[in-house]
Amino acid sequence: LMVFVDNNGDDEYTFSILKHAKWNGFTFADIVFPSFLFIVGVAIVMAMSSQTEETDWKKKMWTYLKICRRTVLLIAIGLIYNAALALPNIWYTRVCGVLQRIAVCYFINAILFVSFPVWLNGLFMVVFGTIYLGAMCAWDVPDGCGRFNITPECCAEGYIDRFIIGSRRMYHTEWDPEGILSTCNAVISTYVGILAGVSVKKIQSSYIRSVLWFYAGCCFLTLGLLLHVYFMPLNKNIYSPSYLWFTCGISFFALLYSYIQVDIWQQRWMLAPLKWVGMNPLAVYVGSMIFEVLTSNFAIKGQTPWLWAYWYVFVPISPSPDIASLYVAIANVLGWMAVAGILYRAGIFIKL
């Protein structure tokens, strides 16, 4: 899905579901990243449950080192990608990014998961949520902005990013959608995924597990909508509490659908391409990033290959330019699914 929404031809004619909300609001594209963070939490449980009761301190330290290694590599890949996009002005490379946020969320949750009971980690999440709310609601942002101002130029999230990172090293000059403060709530998304993963390990009944995920999805969706109406709007850019809980609800429903489709109904053939991608998620995502950087340095009739394909291949066969952008996104996903399928058939699984 991240590949689907990130590559769609000409940005001026992006199909509606592929656009992120400019500020307040919610679109299909805004579901993707928090859902990925949710699944990172589930994966932490699947991969590290045996380490939670490890008593050999040497093995425990080796686990910590592997967590640190993965974190550093993810951050490094993200920074290298951002630096490539910033060329030749590498000094103004964007500091934050998707892979950097994934790394931070993974690091914090993985360290906590193998060190403390899951219920105790919930208290750490309360601390992260309190830090976010304290800064967003109580920070007196200068230049006449005041407290609890969630406009792009006056929110505490943007002010902190500008003060620490600098506006020229951010995605937008006023705020960064993967900024410092909003990462506090992103960490909570991954923790909720850990709770889902623990339910997979602890609950053997398919019925109870399905009902639990259904009610969890309903409760989180309702909480998100209530917060949206009465407290803070759905907003991906600042990862508002309403956005956090609303997307957690959607993630539970997506997990429930996949579980029913694959494990209960046994219709695994329908989701086989997703399995290929799921076995090599980093290779597919980073590969698409590298491909984007490489193709941006070539020109066909004065346009990048993506733009050329958009205007001369997809637009002529589409009823409108925005539908053509959807076709480009679908073609891009099918191409990377094919790559993932080849890797899967060859038994090649790229991991950090």
Side-chain angles (χ1 to χ4, degrees), residues 13 23 72-73 98 101 163 178 204 231 241 247-248 269 295 320:
Y13 298 96
W23 188 246
V72 171
L73 286 174
V98 170
R101 173 166 283 181
F163 182 79
E178 280 77 46
Q204 300 304 316
F231 179 56
T247 53
C248 282
W269 62 271
T295 55
S320 64

Side-chain angles (χ1 to χ4, degrees), residues 2 20-26 29-41 94 97-98 100-102 104-106 109 125 128-137 148 150-152 155-158 161 175-193 224 227-228 231-251:
M2 293 175 74
H20 290 290
K22 292 183 178 179
W23 188 246
N24 293 332
F26 188 80
D30 296 328
I31 303 173
V32 178
F33 192 25
S35 298
F36 189 90
L37 294 176
F38 179 90
I39 291 299
V40 168
R94 182 189 176 202
V98 170
Q100 293 91 313
R101 173 166 283 181
I102 293 172
V104 172
C105 293
Y106 164 77
N109 278 281
M125 298 305 117
F128 282 111
T130 302
I131 291 172
Y132 177 89
L133 288 175
M136 289 296 292
C137 299
F148 198 36
I150 57 172
T151 58
C155 65
E157 156 81 2
D161 289 341
W175 84 95
D176 195 301
E178 280 77 46
I180 297 169
L181 182 61
S182 58
T183 298
C184 291
N185 278 353
V187 169
I188 299 175
S189 287
T190 306
Y191 174 71
V192 175
L227 290 171
H228 170 71
F231 179 56
M232 192 182 295
L234 290 166
N235 190 313
K236 173 190 180 294
N237 296 284
I238 59 175
Y239 221 109
S240 64
S242 56
Y243 175 76
L244 161 64
W245 298 118
F246 185 79
T247 53
C248 282
I250 291 176
S251 297

Side-chain angles (χ1 to χ4, degrees), residues 326-339:
L326 177 63
Y327 292 167
V328 171
I330 292 173
N332 186 52
V333 168
L334 292 176
W336 285 106
M337 278 185 173
V339 172

Side-chain angles (χ1 to χ4, degrees), residues 64 107-118 121 124-125 128 187:
Y64 289 139
F107 176 79
I108 293 173
N109 278 281
I111 291 293
L112 291 176
F113 180 73
V114 299
S115 303
F116 306 106
V118 173
N121 295 344
F124 288 100
M125 298 305 117
F128 282 111
V187 169

Side-chain angles (χ1 to χ4, degrees), residues 289-308:
M289 293 165 60
I290 294 172
F291 184 73
E292 178 187 357
V293 172
L294 292 176
T295 55
S296 66
N297 292 319
F298 294 94
I300 300 175
K301 295 184 178 180
Q303 297 175 318
T304 65
W306 274 116
L307 276 178
W308 182 88

